[in-house]
Amino acid sequence: MGEFEVHRVRFFGLVPAGVRCLACQPRGGRLALARTDGAVEVYNFAANYFQEKVIPGHEARSVEALCWAAGDRLFGAGLGGDITEYDLARLCVARSVDGCGGPIWSMAANSSGTQLAIGCEDGSVKLFQVVPGGIQFERNLDRRKGRILCLSWHPSDTHIAAGSIDVLRVFDVCSGQTVQRIMVNYHVHKVKRECIVWSIAFLSSGTVVTSDSFGRVQFWDWERGTLLESHTVSTSAVLSLSVSEKEDSIIVGTSTGATYQFQLLPVKMGSLEKRWVRTKPFQHHTHDVRAVAHSSTALISGGLDAQLVIRPLMEKIQKKGYEAALRKFTFPHRRLVSCARKARLLLFQFSQHLELWRLGSTNETGKDGEVLPLCRMPEHLVQLKSKGPEHIYCSCVSPCGSWVAYSTASRFHLYRVQYEGDSVSVKKVPKVPKLLLPAYQLQFSADSGNLFVASARGSVHVLQLLEPGGCKHLHILQPPSGCPEAVYLLAVSADGHWLAAVSGDWAIHVYNLKCFKHHCTVPTYSCAVTALAIHPITNNLVIAYSDQQLFEFSIPEKQYTAWSRTVQNCGLHKVWLERDSPITHITFNPKNPSHILLHDIYMFCVLDKSLPLPDNSALLMNQSTLKQLPETARQRQLHAFKICKKFQPLLFADLLDENCLVMVERPIMDIKTQLPLPIQQKKFGT
Amino acid sequence: MVAPVALRVVRCGGGSLHGARAVFSADSKQVGLGPGYLLCASGDFVKMYSLATEETLRLMGGHADLVTGIQLNPHNHMQLYSSSLDGTIKLWDFMDGIPIKTFTVGSKLLALYTLASSEDSVFVVIPKSGERDTFQLVSVKLPKGAGQDLEANELSVVLDGVDASPKHIAFGREAEYVASVKDINLQVYFFKQKQLHRFSVSAVKTKSGNNRFSCVACHPTEDCIATGHADGKIRLWRNFCHKKEYTFSTLHWHHDTVMDLAFSVEGTSLLSGGVESVLVLWRNESDCQKDFLPRLGSPIEYISMASDGTLCCTLHTDNRITIINSNLRFSRSIQGLIKSADIKTGLVVDPRTKALVLNGEPGHLQFYSLQSDQQLFSLDIVQRQYIHQAGLNQIDLVKVAFSPQGKWLATVEEREEVTDPELQLKLWFYDEETQSFKLNTRINMPHEDHITDMCFRDMDELEDDSLILVTAGRDCVFKVWVMVEDTDPEAQQSVSWSCDFVGSYHNYQATNCCFSEDGSLLAVSFEETVTVWDSVTWDLKCTFCHPPGKIRNICFGRLTCSKYLIGATDAGFLCCWNLLSCALDWSAHLNILVLQPDPLSEHIAAVSWLSKESSLFVFKPNEPRPIYIQRNFCREKIQLAAFVPRDEPETIGSEKYLWLRRSQLFFLTDTQELITLSMKSLEERLTPSSKQLAVEESLPVTPFSLLLGKHRHQQSQEDIDLGRVFLRNKRAQDSPAVKELLHTPAHVLPSASFLCPIFINSLLISKENKSAEEVADEVEMESEKTEDDSDEERDVTEMKQEDPSPVELLGEMTCKLSKSQEKELRKIRKMDFSWISAF
């Protein structure tokens, strides 16, 4: 693997925001997720649950409910009182309509996706028509006191069930009248405490399922207004509930972090009598599970501990493999850290500010595994706060460390950083050219002379940076055939000759920067690109896809390299393909041209192209066993993948110079300490 | 004289009750019985208990090996099937206690199941032929022959690879399927579809233990299987008719293995039990709705439900049976000899109640009545909460001694720690008012090391304050404890105990101690040597040894043989020393484990262990030839033995068994089974009263029957009081009035007003009272006579003792000294001793 001096960085104080709501696209392969800071993310099931799209949050725009309507249009509603439609191509808010009912607590779309119902603070349920180019207010349903916390349409679109405090109501959509009103707190009469119906679901059989703050999941017959079944699953509140499309399984999430599955099972073999039975409990979260979703093959839950957990249903999965693995996502599938290699600086991107740090240094050397004492501590140089309520989309620091750029939804900022001894001065570059905002990715050229700004419609802006602090718009690179989606990944070659850009439709375009011309398109592959980089010597483009495939594409020759073809012929190792987090960064070692350095959240890998690929019988993570073998045996056991799992969770890894690495870790425990205390639970034996 | 009857080895209690789940007799309303009976497999027997009185009503014996399963005949609720390791299935009429049929299957039967739907076959678990440790569930067709003994050869295999335990197989609703668990696998076989489904749980060991299945139960009306696991979880499996879409939910409360599970009759609730001694009731299969019945005393081994759902019972590892109401209220408990982890106290007889006293529940002393096979009471000695946790060193009771009249009880408890044992000696005083023992003195660390033996001085005629307790310890000393007046005015009691004398011998560990019958001599064994001490002056009188071999047991001879000291060494020698000549009289090469003198005669019983069989030798010390030898009377290792004095001497024909006249000999095997030697047949041993009770209980309960029952009960009690002689004519005298009333046809009966006085008269007590008094007088006279007898005997023995006493007294002149002088002398002696031992 080779020995490196490693900067083990743990001062990136990122605290991911908790998951607020989830929405599965009906009959589709996507999952929309909203976080407590207002960010909306879209995961693609087909692309191994890759976090395909991220719309950063907004201070004033909290999202309480998400729903898909009219096919693939995504709507959100929040306590701001607005209904927002998201533009998933440009990754920003498309339009926003005031709900006129105060804060909106809930929103649901009917089964055909033509109508939206919202539940408001003032107790009203309003219907909106989904029309091309927006939504239109239709009418109010019968209004009563008490905020509407949850809503559910009957699959036939004739009735709406709404949960409020102490009560659930059923509305007739045609007449708009309340046709049933059921008191939920009936059983708790000794001590009168209000019972909050947190979540509701209307089944086609006419059964209404509610989950409430007393930890109960109850099944009601709405026509008679009677309780059919009541299951107490927890001592604390059951916050969320989701029904499978077949209506034979329900997942609920509680405030203790546990999720439970209910299944509709026949009481006896062959008989028609069926009953809801609580079956599997899962404890993957430490905090409130505010959102759950039920896809056809998995139970999905999101909690305030920022985790998104995808628990596959074994019985629904045909073959054991990647699909059958339990997945937990805490961190975004993209880089939040950029590194100035020459200046040894790290730029950390938070939701509303940036931090620039100088790495520590040491003059001592040591053996493998030793911790070296620092002679200079890492230094927090600058904190840049973004102005306004918008969150940061992307940021970058130039390799020389003297330029810092970031972009929000409506503004682009470029700063000139100057170092005079120990003091640092930051100067905003005035008169940045007007660009098509937002920018989705920023990339400086290796000589810090140019800045590439990834933008909407597949375009990339090229800015020239001028000393002592100015810039000039040089060119707009655009794919020849046009593209509706935004560019989300950029890679520039070390010699400044080539630029590769990936847009939301997963097409990779390579541009020649000398003549600002489109050079070629990498053959499309049916999966999302998670990372790419251009080799500094050979100008080969290395691409990592979300299904863990690796490709090497020779830009000058406009074709896949021989090594890439061997990889495709032999296939990658099974264990490698079954990893559940995508490669987020690729870099190279100029001293060892055959080495590719790549990493995901859980491992760092040096891929040595000169060594044979491992077959499925070999051990993939063999570094520790190799160490114990004698030299001759070691030579036989060597294979291309040299994997190190020492640094976890790994947010960023880069090569500073030929034998110096920087690893940015964010220990889960550090995040946990930043979260509020979980609900106290008595644990046996403590 | 008739030909001598052979002594029979009779198992009379203890053993293990957990061969199988207990069975309730059928619903009381259905059959018209009283509260019903509980049937329980116990060793080679099936025991029948009355649920009303907790009494053992019947002991059904006939199997030659352990009974492994009992089930009611589903087609006749008065019949019971039982299976045994001896390869037979027996069908019993348990109301009469007679075997109806015996079906010989041939191979070992490890569990038995009956199904209502299968007309003539039962299911058993048998070892798979040719393979070790693999078992299969087979159905056995029971032939319908006429004879008593039938061969059942028609076996058909239902499931392979099952586990041997009866808890690992359960039959589902309406016998649709059978579920079997083994290790981490669950197999479900559907009879109709002939489908076998296998499920398994992950084999990984979690931090809370492993995942293995420990028991299984099936829902009575739904397709639901409950399984218990070694890590304390209960899984409820559903939808298992699909290979892939099966599902289960988990209930978790137990922290250790779930020992047994049982569904209620309707299936609405589930009972579970384990080592925590808590019965947990899960309602609606919900984790949040559970009720507990805690403090059941000991780990639960089996749970069984009555067929009408009104009662359930738990069998515990210590042989206790607890009967629990359907509302999870403790109803009653049936406890015979409580099984203890290790009997360290030995078998001691309480002089007051003649009960056997030994370790019971952890830290408790149990008083076990041999007559009724019931626990009289349990005395909490340690008085600390017992925590059920593996690997925890808890304080345990190790030694017990009663003073001769049973007025004082000495107990020793210790915490088993190798380096630093924690010891406590407690002395208890019998409080006549509360009828129980009261703690008088507690002595912390009476010895530096474990106490090996303890005894009171056995001097009947002496005053109470001359009572002496001797403890021998591994710290190489023996200590003498005496009562002293408590000078502290605030003290609640007048006396307390304190150490009076400490003796040692060449820094050897003291292993046994024993007083001679008259209390004048104390024998203490120090490893290889027996030392004999004067109990007044604490002089070392003489020493005996029989090298090589350390002394295992010692005892003095009694009555005419009081000049002998008997010792057994672990080198396999039984030695008899003459105290007068200070020489070895005789010795025999025997590996003696237990040496037990009869307190009422000269006889000494010795139990040897040779080539895996126990043999009994009864001898008198004055002659080396044993009077009675029974070789190989028991397969198990005899751990302890005790002579229990009979209430009245038995009339024994054969001279060979004269030694059994005054006392009965009981043994405790290492499986904690109590066995005795008896000449009577099995039926005689059961008291007639209990038999009658069984009949009586079969009558429906009406106010009239209650009245009559009381009447009869009185009678039967009288019968017992009077003995057999009075029984017949009393019956004859009394019954006509009642008989007439009951048996004359109604249409010829005179008017009720005429009958009433006759009936009432028959019930009057005045007449009975008189006779009872008379009888009581007679009984008293009799007992006086026996007392006289014994007095005479004692006189005789005393006279006999006069012969040796001058010899013994030869060197003993100090007894004439005053007490103060004595004490001074003692002090000097002590100093002397220490000085000598320093050399």
Side-chain angles (χ1 to χ4, degrees), chain B residues 50-108:
Chain B
S50 158
L51 286 177
T53 61
E54 306 151 33
E55 233 177 327
T56 315
L57 293 181
R58 217 173 290 289
L59 194 66
M60 289 178 272
H63 282 296
D65 208 334
L66 281 181
V67 176
T68 51
I70 49 171
Q71 296 286 341
L72 286 186
N73 184 351
H75 307 293
N76 182 348
H77 289 301
M78 309 296 270
Q79 293 180 347
L80 178 85
Y81 283 110
S82 70
S83 69
S84 161
L85 287 184
D86 65 0
T88 59
I89 300 170
K90 280 181 190 280
L91 181 64
W92 303 85
D93 180 338
F94 60 83
M95 292 306 295
D96 299 325
I98 46 170
I100 301 170
K101 278 189 176 152
T102 304
F103 304 99
T104 311
V105 179
S107 52
K108 277 185 180 180

Side-chain angles (χ1 to χ4, degrees), chain B residues 606-623:
Chain B
V607 179
S608 78
W609 175 251
L610 254 184
S611 58
K612 299 204 170 165
E613 266 166 326
S614 297
S615 308
L616 170 71
F617 301 88
V618 181
F619 60 92
K620 281 187 183 181
N622 54 5
E623 45 189 310

Side-chain angles (χ1 to χ4, degrees), chain A residues 268-463:
Chain A
K268 288 176 193 174
M269 200 176 23
S271 83
L272 289 174
E273 189 193 349
K274 288 190 171 186
R275 203 166 49 183
W276 287 98
V277 178
R278 180 181 74 72
T279 52
K280 293 168 201 128
F282 303 110
Q283 180 85 49
H284 297 304
H285 299 274
T286 54
H287 290 70
D288 291 11
V289 179
R290 293 292 295 270
V292 289
H294 201 309
S295 79
S296 57
T297 57
L299 306 176
I300 303 164
S301 58
L304 284 190
D305 54 358
Q307 275 195 104
L308 174 68
V309 177
I310 297 158
R311 161 89 209 184
L313 291 167
M314 295 301 176
E315 66 265 24
K316 303 276 198 258
I317 290 165
Q318 299 310 318
K319 63 176 202 316
K320 213 169 174 254
Y322 183 79
E323 281 276 278
L326 169 74
R327 252 176 293 273
K328 290 182 181 183
F329 297 139
T330 310
F331 298 101
H333 288 166
R334 55 196 186 117
R335 279 195 285 146
L336 296 178
V337 183
S338 51
C339 172
R341 288 189 186 186
K342 286 172 201 150
R344 303 211 161 195
L345 300 175
L346 288 177
L347 182 74
F348 299 135
Q349 177 189 327
F350 294 83
S351 61
Q352 283 190 292
H353 69 271
L354 303 172
E355 280 181 12
L356 189 65
W357 287 72
R358 180 183 284 139
L359 289 172
S361 61
T362 180
N363 11 2
E364 306 206 13
T365 53
K367 283 202 289 283
D368 182 26
E370 261 179 56
V371 178
L372 303 177
L374 290 182
C375 68
R376 199 176 69 180
M377 296 303 285
E379 200 181 344
H380 183 186
L381 298 175
V382 173
Q383 184 172 23
L384 284 172
K385 279 193 182 149
S386 97
K387 292 191 182 67
E390 292 168 336
H391 290 183
I392 297 171
Y393 271 62
C394 57
S395 63
C396 195
V397 61
S398 69
C400 64
S402 51
W403 301 91
V404 170
Y406 75 88
S407 165
T408 65
S410 61
R411 283 190 295 178
F412 170 73
H413 299 271
L414 182 64
Y415 291 92
R416 170 86 180 159
V417 188
Q418 269 161 338
Y419 310 91
E420 287 145 9
D422 279 348
S423 69
V424 180
S425 67
V426 178
K427 215 168 78 191
K428 191 174 172 189
V429 176
K431 283 191 262 170
V432 287
K434 286 263 178 225
L435 300 168
L436 183 62
L437 286 174
Y440 307 102
Q441 179 80 354
L442 298 167
Q443 181 76 45
F444 286 93
S445 63
D447 59 357
S448 302
N450 290 318
L451 172 64
F452 305 98
V453 181
S455 188
R457 294 186 186 284
S459 59
V460 180
H461 298 266
V462 185
L463 305 184

Side-chain angles (χ1 to χ4, degrees), chain A residues 344-588:
Chain A
R344 303 211 161 195
L345 300 175
L346 288 177
L347 182 74
F348 299 135
Q349 177 189 327
F350 294 83
S351 61
Q352 283 190 292
H353 69 271
L354 303 172
E355 280 181 12
L356 189 65
W357 287 72
R358 180 183 284 139
L359 289 172
S361 61
T362 180
N363 11 2
E364 306 206 13
T365 53
K367 283 202 289 283
D368 182 26
E370 261 179 56
V371 178
L372 303 177
L374 290 182
C375 68
R376 199 176 69 180
M377 296 303 285
E379 200 181 344
H380 183 186
L381 298 175
V382 173
Q383 184 172 23
L384 284 172
K385 279 193 182 149
S386 97
K387 292 191 182 67
E390 292 168 336
H391 290 183
I392 297 171
Y393 271 62
C394 57
S395 63
C396 195
V397 61
S398 69
C400 64
S402 51
W403 301 91
V404 170
Y406 75 88
S407 165
T408 65
S410 61
R411 283 190 295 178
F412 170 73
H413 299 271
L414 182 64
Y415 291 92
R416 170 86 180 159
V417 188
Q418 269 161 338
Y419 310 91
E420 287 145 9
D422 279 348
S423 69
V424 180
S425 67
V426 178
K427 215 168 78 191
K428 191 174 172 189
V429 176
K431 283 191 262 170
V432 287
K434 286 263 178 225
L435 300 168
L436 183 62
L437 286 174
Y440 307 102
Q441 179 80 354
L442 298 167
Q443 181 76 45
F444 286 93
S445 63
D447 59 357
S448 302
N450 290 318
L451 172 64
F452 305 98
V453 181
S455 188
R457 294 186 186 284
S459 59
V460 180
H461 298 266
V462 185
L463 305 184
Q464 190 178 18
L465 304 172
L466 305 167
E467 293 293 339
C471 74
K472 196 173 87 180
H473 191 268
L474 274 185
H475 199 81
I476 300 178
L477 300 168
Q478 262 177 326
S481 54
C483 171
E485 301 264 345
V487 172
Y488 71 96
L489 275 177
L490 291 174
V492 66
S493 69
D495 56 7
H497 205 98
W498 307 104
L499 175 77
V502 188
S503 52
D505 55 359
W506 309 333
I508 305 168
H509 296 280
V510 182
Y511 301 97
N512 188 330
L513 291 176
K514 291 286 171 243
C515 51
F516 295 116
K517 259 169 66 181
H518 184 261
H519 176 69
C520 67
T521 308
V522 177
T524 45
Y525 184 73
S526 64
C527 224
V529 180
T530 65
L532 81 168
I534 299 172
H535 197 281
I537 294 160
T538 59
N539 276 340
N540 286 339
L541 180 66
V542 177
I543 312 153
Y545 288 97
S546 65
D547 60 353
Q548 312 296 355
Q549 291 292 346
L550 293 171
F551 286 89
E552 194 184 36
F553 182 82
S554 167
I555 294 175
E557 291 167 28
K558 296 188 187 180
Q559 61 174 354
Y560 287 119
T561 62
W563 181 80
S564 183
R565 285 172 207 279
T566 12
V567 167
Q568 288 313 305
N569 285 338
C570 303
L572 289 163
H573 195 277
K574 201 171 95 239
V575 177
W576 175 269
L577 294 177
E578 284 175 5
R579 286 178 314 114
D580 61 358
S581 70
I583 301 285
T584 51
H585 186 56
I586 300 172
T587 185
F588 303 94

Side-chain angles (χ1 to χ4, degrees), chain B residues 18 84 86 107 216 221 314-315 379 388 392 501 541 563 619 689 692 715 736-737 769 794 799:
Chain B
H18 11 86
S84 161
D86 65 0
S107 52
V216 63
T221 54
T314 54
L315 260 65
L379 182 66
H388 293 280
L392 199 64
F501 175 74
K541 285 290 181 193
K563 60 180 176 183
F619 60 92
S689 68
Q692 196 183 335
Q715 221 176 56
N769 250 359
R794 206 173 288 149
M799 270 164 63

Side-chain angles (χ1 to χ4, degrees), chain B residues 81 362 398 618 791 796 828 839:
Chain B
Y81 283 110
V398 292
V618 181
D791 278 357
V796 171
I828 295 161
F839 273 90

Side-chain angles (χ1 to χ4, degrees), chain A residues 261 263 265 280 297 312-321 323-324, chain B residues 190 195-200 237-248:
Chain A
Q261 192 191 0
Q263 280 177 281
L265 297 175
K280 293 168 201 128
T297 57
L313 291 167
M314 295 301 176
E315 66 265 24
K316 303 276 198 258
I317 290 165
Q318 299 310 318
K319 63 176 202 316
K320 213 169 174 254
E323 281 276 278
Chain B
F190 293 90
Q195 275 181 332
L196 178 68
H197 289 185
R198 283 203 178 85
F199 311 103
S200 59
W237 301 74
R238 284 183 178 273
N239 223 18
F240 42 81
C241 49
H242 296 95
K243 270 212 154 117
K244 213 169 155 98
E245 294 195 354
Y246 71 92
T247 181
F248 60 80

